[in-house]
């Protein structure tokens, strides 16, 4: 018989699907959640009973005996025809019941185990040491303060998830009918657009647990200032205040460069076992996807490998830990050449001050060319790429900006790292116009102005507080009558 292959050939190529409107909330959501929880608890109880029985086969056998569904073994040749028929019927009923119990055992197994995570994903649920494990893995995990997570069940319990939900967060499909993420685009300051990929609430909550209990416990170099407790764009900028030369280097496609396999390697190096590292790496990454419409269905098609999404709470912390060796190497290079080095996410900053440079190098000036050549080599050796169009060298006579703040040598009474004057003037003018009853610029909101004032407050609390107070008065004032 010839299969009708034509039915599998699309009449037209898939088309990009428009963004779907948010679905209306389903009725009785709480009741459904309770029912789902009760069903899951029943599966856990069943698997516990299976474990206590010794195996699924032994549990099935015990259930058949308890239900009286097990047909006794008899000497078939000694039975009369009527007895034979009755025994056959009971044997058929036993087979039906056995298959039903085996299905129940398999459902309980699936509720407590992960057997597959997608094509191309190596998964070994049993875990155990292998050649890639650290020699003293458990000791490393204890040193880093990592929780004991030896199985999928351990991880699911720690996250407050079911194993099946955890599997859903980690499972990879090149073509999927749904997604655990929401994506949108925002304009870049330098032009173009940036894609933000944010996890949906339940996954985001799980990632926050991973961030607090795993990622933030991994060692980070002192040169890292982004997304580190007690550090900020201000501390990053202050490290370069009053320098003679400031060199800024940007890493190209920073988050997309960090694939799930690199994340897995980082977690294993931190002391976690192979199986848990795989799950955590997969649930912290996602492939860039395009929404396509195919035969009335919306599909999410992967356009590249799973990597850190820009918008997930775990992504910045993972990159900080992953860049530990690169930061060490760049710091050592900087000290050797007389530079100071810091990193804020994908922004690398180097500054050179003649008074702080080694005496042998002061007369020669800042060795910028040597620095940039070696930085490029180190960055590429660590699996990243220097953005060729975003390297900047700012000398003392020009404006030196680091993470948005001006760090040129300041006059007395002026913050060492400060908001650019044009930003302050724009804020002052916007507040003045609103006080005079004039409309704001197109797209300008009070929230945006408050953000600018808070930015100013970070570097200049007195001036920032003044503008914040004026904005608070504007917000409290009754709307103008038309």
């Amino acid at each position: 018989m010839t299969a009708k292959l034509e039915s599998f050939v699309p009449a037209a190529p898939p088309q990009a699907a428009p963004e779907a409107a948010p679905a209306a909330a389903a009725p009785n959501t709480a009741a459904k959640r309770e029912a789902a929880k009760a069903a899951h608890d029943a599966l856990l109880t069943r698997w516990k009973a299976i474990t206590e029985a010794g195996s699924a086969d032994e549990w099935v056998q015990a259930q058949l005996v308890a239900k009286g569904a097990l047909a006794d073994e008899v000497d078939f040749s000694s039975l009369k025809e009527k007895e034979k028929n009755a025994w056959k019927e009971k044997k058929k009923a036993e087979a039906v019941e056995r298959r039903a119990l085996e299905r129940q055992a398999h459902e309980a197994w699936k509720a407590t185990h992960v057997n597959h995570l997608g094509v191309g994903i190596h998964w070994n649920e049993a875990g155990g040491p292998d050649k890639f494990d650290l020699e003293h893995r458990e000791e490393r995990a204890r040193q880093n303060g990592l929780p004991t997570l030896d199985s999928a069940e351990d991880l699911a319990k720690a996250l407050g998830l079911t194993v099946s939900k955890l599997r859903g967060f980690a499972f990879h499909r090149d073509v999927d009918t749904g997604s655990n993420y929401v994506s949108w685009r925002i304009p870049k300051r330098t032009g173009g657009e940036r894609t933000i990929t944010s996890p949906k609430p339940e996954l985001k909550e799980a990632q926050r647990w991973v961030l607090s209990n795993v990622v933030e416990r991994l060692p980070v170099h002192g040169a890292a200032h982004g997304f580190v407790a007690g550090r900020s764009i201000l501390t990053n900028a202050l490290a370069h205040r009053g320098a003679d030369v400031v060199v800024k280097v940007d890493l190209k496609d920073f988050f997309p460069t960090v694939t799930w396999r690199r994340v897995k390697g980082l977690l294993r190096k931190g002391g976690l076992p192979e199986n848990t590292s795989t799950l955590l790496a997969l649930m912290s990454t996602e492939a860039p996807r395009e929404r396509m419409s195919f035969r009335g269905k919306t599909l999410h098609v992967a356009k590249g490998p799973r990597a850190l999404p820009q918008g997930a709470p775990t992504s910045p912390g993972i990159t900080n830990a992953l860049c530990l060796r690169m930061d060490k190497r760049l710091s050592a290079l900087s000290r050797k050449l007389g530079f100071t080095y810091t990193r804020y996410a994908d922004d690398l900053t180097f500054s050179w001050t003649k008074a702080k440079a080694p005496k042998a190098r002061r007369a020669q000036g800042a060795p910028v060319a040597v620095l940039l050549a070696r930085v490029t080599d180190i960055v590429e050796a660590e699996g990243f790429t220097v953005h060729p169009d975003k390297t900047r060298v700012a000398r003392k006579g020009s404006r030196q900006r680091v993470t948005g703040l001006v760090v040129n040598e300041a006059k007395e009474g002026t913050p060492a790292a400060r908001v650019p004057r044009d930003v302050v003037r724009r804020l002052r003018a916007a507040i003045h116009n609103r006080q005079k009853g004039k409309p704001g610029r197109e797209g300008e909101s009070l929230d945006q102005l408050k953000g600018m004032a808070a930015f100013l407050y970070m570097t200049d609390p007195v001036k920032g507080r003044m503008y914040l107070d004026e904005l608070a008065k504007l917000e409290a004032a009754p709307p103008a009558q038309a």
Side-chain angles (χ1 to χ4, degrees):
M1 181 176 178
T2 304
K4 294 181 67 177
L5 296 179
E6 293 82 0
S7 63
F8 294 91
V9 179
Q15 301 296 318
E19 290 292 328
N28 303 321
T29 303
K32 288 182 178 179
R33 278 201 298 264
E34 286 298 319
K37 184 179 184 304
H40 180 70
D41 290 343
L43 291 172
L44 297 183
T45 302
R46 187 186 304 161
W47 183 252
K48 183 179 179 182
I50 292 171
T51 304
E52 291 172 351
S55 69
D57 289 341
E58 291 176 2
W59 177 81
V60 168
Q61 197 73 6
Q63 290 294 306
L64 289 171
V65 171
K67 294 182 176 184
L70 192 64
D72 297 328
E73 294 298 325
V74 296
D75 181 4
F76 201 68
S77 61
S78 64
L79 297 180
K80 295 179 181 179
E81 193 64 30
K82 187 175 181 180
E83 292 173 331
K84 288 180 181 179
N85 291 336
W87 186 86
K88 287 179 182 178
E89 290 301 319
K90 188 167 185 180
K91 201 67 177 174
K92 288 179 182 178
E94 177 194 324
V96 171
E97 185 65 25
R98 184 182 294 276
R99 285 194 294 271
L101 289 168
E102 287 172 347
R103 282 195 297 271
Q104 291 176 23
H106 184 62
E107 288 170 357
W109 184 88
K110 286 200 301 182
T112 52
H113 295 74
V114 175
N115 65 328
H116 183 52
L117 288 171
V119 176
I121 308 295
H122 171 71
W123 171 249
N124 176 18
E125 186 183 43
D130 63 19
K131 65 179 182 179
F132 297 109
D133 264 329
L134 296 175
E135 187 175 351
H136 303 290
R137 181 188 66 77
E138 294 87 352
E139 180 59 29
R140 175 69 63 83
R142 280 193 294 271
Q143 289 173 355
N144 287 332
L146 300 183
T148 301
L149 302 169
D150 292 331
S151 67
E153 194 171 3
D154 288 345
L155 180 57
K157 186 176 181 180
L159 292 170
L161 301 173
T162 64
V163 171
S164 58
K165 177 65 74 171
L166 173 63
R167 181 173 57 242
F169 285 157
F171 202 96
H172 175 74
R173 295 180 180 88
D174 285 335
V175 179
D176 209 340
T177 55
S179 176
N180 291 313
Y181 291 82
V182 178
S183 296
W184 66 93
R185 293 178 180 177
I186 60 173
K188 291 183 179 180
R189 183 173 59 86
T190 54
E193 292 184 322
R194 186 189 311 279
T195 299
I196 303 298
T197 304
S198 178
K200 292 179 179 177
E202 194 171 7
L203 175 56
K204 182 178 286 187
E205 185 178 348
Q207 288 180 346
R208 283 176 176 151
W209 185 94
V210 175
L211 176 65
S212 299
N213 294 277
V214 177
V215 175
E216 289 184 339
R217 300 186 183 188
L218 299 175
V220 173
H221 195 271
H225 285 257
F227 310 96
V228 177
R231 298 195 167 193
S232 64
I233 60 172
L234 178 59
T235 61
N236 185 66
L238 285 172
H240 306 284
R241 61 187 182 274
D244 293 311
V245 180
V246 173
V247 180
K248 297 195 294 182
V249 176
D250 187 86
L251 301 183
K252 186 178 181 181
D253 298 330
F254 187 50
F255 287 140
T257 301
V258 182
T259 62
W260 78 269
R261 286 184 171 85
R262 294 183 72 177
V263 178
K264 177 180 176 178
L266 169 71
L267 297 173
R268 296 197 70 178
K269 189 176 180 181
L272 290 179
E274 193 268 345
N275 53 358
T276 307
S277 297
T278 299
L279 287 168
L280 288 173
L282 289 169
M283 67 175 285
S284 300
T285 56
E286 171 63 325
R289 294 184 182 271
E290 184 174 357
R291 290 166 59 92
M292 306 293 290
S293 181
F294 180 66
R295 291 187 174 176
K297 292 183 179 180
T298 298
L299 303 177
H300 300 258
V301 183
K303 299 190 295 181
R306 290 182 80 100
L308 293 179
Q310 188 160 350
T314 43
S315 295
I318 288 173
T319 56
N320 277 340
L322 190 68
C323 288
L324 175 63
R325 189 173 66 179
M326 183 181 77
D327 289 338
K328 285 181 178 179
R329 295 180 67 183
L330 291 176
S331 292
L333 170 66
S334 298
R335 283 194 302 271
K336 184 177 179 181
L337 298 178
F339 284 85
T340 297
Y341 163 70
T342 64
R343 181 180 58 80
Y344 192 96
D346 57 351
D347 292 327
L348 316 182
T349 306
F350 305 84
S351 61
W352 187 88
T353 304
K354 185 175 182 179
K356 297 179 182 178
K359 291 182 179 180
R361 291 188 176 275
R362 290 179 186 176
Q364 302 169 9
V368 174
V370 175
L371 173 76
L372 290 176
R374 294 187 184 175
V375 165
T376 300
D377 290 342
I378 291 173
V379 166
E380 290 180 353
E382 294 298 328
F384 296 101
T385 304
V386 171
H387 199 300
D389 302 326
K390 292 189 176 181
T391 298
R392 298 286 184 270
V393 179
R395 300 187 183 274
K396 202 168 187 177
S398 59
R399 186 162 75 167
Q400 299 169 331
R401 288 181 63 168
V402 177
T403 46
L405 300 175
V406 177
V407 295
N408 294 75
E409 189 172 358
K411 298 177 182 178
E412 188 175 349
T414 303
R418 51 212 176 272
V419 176
R421 280 179 292 185
D422 58 318
V423 175
V424 179
R425 282 196 295 265
R426 192 162 68 246
L427 173 62
R428 184 170 61 242
I431 293 175
H432 177 76
N433 287 338
R434 286 176 179 265
Q435 288 172 335
K436 295 296 183 181
K438 297 179 181 179
R441 295 166 61 181
E442 185 178 354
E444 180 184 86
S445 67
L446 273 177
D447 284 339
Q448 288 176 324
L449 297 180
K450 285 193 289 185
M452 292 171 67
F455 183 45
L456 177 60
Y457 179 83
M458 178 179 61
T459 62
D460 190 339
V462 175
K463 190 177 291 186
R465 172 49 58 194
M466 178 183 70
Y467 289 133
L468 284 170
D469 289 343
E470 290 183 7
L471 286 167
K473 291 176 184 177
L474 285 171
E475 195 170 31
Q481 297 296 321

